[in-house]
Amino acid sequence: MLKILYAGSPAPAATTLRLLLDGSQAQDAGGRSYQIAGVLTNPPSAKGRHKELVPTDVGALAAERGIPVFCPQKLDAAAREQIAAQGFDALVCFAYGKIFGPKFLSLFKAGGVNVHPSLLPKYRGATPVPAAILNCDEQTGVTVQTLALGMDEGEILAQEKIALDGTETTDSLLDKSAQIAAALLDGLLRDTAAAASFPKGKAQEGEPSYTKTISKDDALINWNDSAKKIAAAIRAYTSEPGAWTRIGGESGETLKILKAAPLSLETDNGSQDKNAAAPAGQTSAVAQPSAIAQPRPADLPAGTVAAFDKKRGILVQCGDGLLCVTELQRQQKKAMGWKDFMNGARDFVGTRLF
């Protein structure tokens, strides 16, 4: 039986771990079995008003399942000695958060593998899923690669593509990637158990690209962008750090935009719509869909709340097109749908967002 140390920290890594734990219970002839015998994760972090120490999602799941948990601050000599004493055969990593050096990798006689949610060599680095959404890619994927000293430079052992339809959020795509990762790893680990080492991988092909760590400033909405690009940013930055804007200038109140989509001209052409509030600058209480769907940038500055539509949401003018906002969150308030939001902000139409 292949004895594995699983290294990971956030929720997607916990999803993969849970599926591997369940899958490893299945019987397989020919010595093709494995055991998650330990978990390596980041130390608990202080959260909440009372700064209570909270374990990572992976650490919490491991403790719940009775699996030994290792959470050293550093992978130093003391940590290596502790891990070496357990006699693990292989290392499996998914979003652990620390770099493995050659001394640590040498502890595993069968070697180590890493899960990366992209089609390597595209989107190496920490944020491949947001990058795929931000760039409006038509596909991405999951790669299982050998652990290498260079960032995401290992040989490819398994890879599966994921088609994107333009509605994915980072959270939903990471969850799907985690499920695919578990299926890829299960077969790979069974093969490795039978052979006593990971199979030979293939070198990555093509020009690599790299991602960066995302900051709160990256998630500030630029209303001069197209509605399509802004909608992609909102999906990419959920749930952290969350796409945001300001009401009333640079010193104004922060407003998070949680869900939105470009207004579809195909579905919004037609007769008079009695559910639409008048666009900013018009006196009529009823707006023609064709009138609010195609305002010229010269008519309304980018970032202006153009109209409130009870069926579609809050319509905000962008550099190109209208963004239909359906879920928002005021500063220090709970998230709410557009109807509840407008009940408490009846003068919101005409407001400029920055």
Side-chain angles (χ1 to χ4, degrees), residues 172-304:
S172 68
L173 187 50
L174 276 172
D175 184 67
K176 185 172 186 177
S177 298
Q179 296 179 50
I180 291 173
L184 293 177
L185 284 170
D186 183 74
L188 179 63
L189 294 176
R190 293 188 185 281
D191 290 343
T192 301
S197 64
F198 286 106
K200 176 68 176 176
K202 66 175 183 178
Q204 298 181 27
E205 298 178 353
E207 187 70 22
S209 60
Y210 295 87
T211 63
K212 66 172 186 175
T213 302
I214 295 171
S215 69
K216 181 180 177 181
D217 288 343
D218 293 323
L220 175 61
I221 296 172
N222 180 357
W223 292 106
N224 290 309
D225 288 337
S226 69
K228 179 180 179 181
K229 186 174 181 179
I230 293 172
I234 291 167
R235 292 186 289 108
Y237 295 134
T238 57
S239 54
E240 290 293 337
W244 61 284
T245 187
R246 297 186 184 94
I247 303 174
E250 293 186 3
S251 60
E253 176 190 358
T254 296
L255 177 69
K256 282 192 174 184
I257 309 296
L258 305 178
K259 291 182 181 179
L263 186 67
S264 171
L265 298 183
E266 292 181 2
T267 59
D268 289 290
N269 289 329
S271 61
Q272 192 176 58
D273 187 350
K274 297 180 180 180
N275 292 304
Q282 294 187 14
T283 57
S284 171
V286 178
Q288 293 282 354
S290 58
I292 64 174
Q294 302 180 71
R296 296 186 301 275
D299 296 333
L300 292 175
T304 302

Side-chain angles (χ1 to χ4, degrees), residues 24-339:
S24 65
Q25 305 302 315
Q27 297 297 317
D28 195 333
R32 289 165 44 89
S33 59
Y34 63 91
Q35 176 192 16
I36 308 295
V39 157
L40 177 66
T41 191
N42 285 329
S45 56
K47 295 182 179 180
R49 180 181 302 176
H50 302 291
K51 301 299 180 182
E52 180 182 0
L53 289 178
V54 178
T56 67
D57 291 284
V58 166
L61 176 60
E64 177 186 314
R65 296 292 187 97
I67 300 171
V69 178
F70 305 92
C71 47
Q73 290 286 351
K74 297 180 179 180
L75 294 179
D76 53 15
R80 293 196 299 272
E81 183 178 352
Q82 187 181 30
I83 296 298
Q86 306 303 311
F88 296 110
D89 298 312
L91 173 65
V92 173
C93 178
F94 185 4
Y96 169 48
K98 290 184 174 67
I99 301 297
F100 300 118
K103 292 181 180 179
F104 187 85
L105 293 177
S106 68
L107 301 177
F108 307 93
K109 59 185 179 182
V113 297
N114 177 61
V115 173
H116 191 75
S118 83
L119 296 175
L120 288 173
K122 192 173 185 178
Y123 300 143
R124 291 175 178 173
T127 56
V129 169
I133 296 174
L134 283 170
N135 291 329
C136 298
D137 289 350
E138 294 183 354
Q139 70 173 14
T140 185
V142 178
T143 302
V144 179
Q145 59 173 328
T146 58
L147 277 165
L149 297 181
M151 183 175 63
D152 299 323
E153 295 180 2
E155 295 182 338
I156 295 174
L157 299 175
Q159 196 171 68
E160 184 170 326
K161 296 178 180 179
I162 302 174
L164 303 180
D165 62 14
T167 64
E168 299 83 4
T169 66
T170 288
D171 291 344
S172 68
L173 187 50
L174 276 172
D175 184 67
K176 185 172 186 177
S177 298
Q179 296 179 50
I180 291 173
L184 293 177
L185 284 170
D186 183 74
L188 179 63
L189 294 176
R190 293 188 185 281
D191 290 343
T192 301
S197 64
F198 286 106
K200 176 68 176 176
K202 66 175 183 178
Q204 298 181 27
E205 298 178 353
E207 187 70 22
S209 60
Y210 295 87
T211 63
K212 66 172 186 175
T213 302
I214 295 171
S215 69
K216 181 180 177 181
D217 288 343
D218 293 323
L220 175 61
I221 296 172
N222 180 357
W223 292 106
N224 290 309
D225 288 337
S226 69
K228 179 180 179 181
K229 186 174 181 179
I230 293 172
I234 291 167
R235 292 186 289 108
Y237 295 134
T238 57
S239 54
E240 290 293 337
W244 61 284
T245 187
R246 297 186 184 94
I247 303 174
E250 293 186 3
S251 60
E253 176 190 358
T254 296
L255 177 69
K256 282 192 174 184
I257 309 296
L258 305 178
K259 291 182 181 179
L263 186 67
S264 171
L265 298 183
E266 292 181 2
T267 59
D268 289 290
N269 289 329
S271 61
Q272 192 176 58
D273 187 350
K274 297 180 180 180
N275 292 304
Q282 294 187 14
T283 57
S284 171
V286 178
Q288 293 282 354
S290 58
I292 64 174
Q294 302 180 71
R296 296 186 301 275
D299 296 333
L300 292 175
T304 302
V305 180
F308 166 50
D309 189 301
K310 293 181 180 179
K311 289 184 177 180
R312 300 173 181 85
I314 300 168
L315 308 181
V316 184
Q317 178 65 55
C318 305
D320 179 15
L322 282 166
L323 187 71
C324 192
V325 178
T326 55
E327 188 173 338
L328 314 84
Q329 185 176 10
R330 280 189 179 274
Q331 194 170 336
Q332 306 299 323
K333 302 292 184 180
K334 293 182 179 180
M336 61 181 68
W338 79 97
K339 294 179 181 178

Side-chain angles (χ1 to χ4, degrees), residues 1-13:
M1 178 177 289
L2 192 70
K3 189 176 179 180
I4 294 168
L5 175 67
Y6 184 90
S9 295

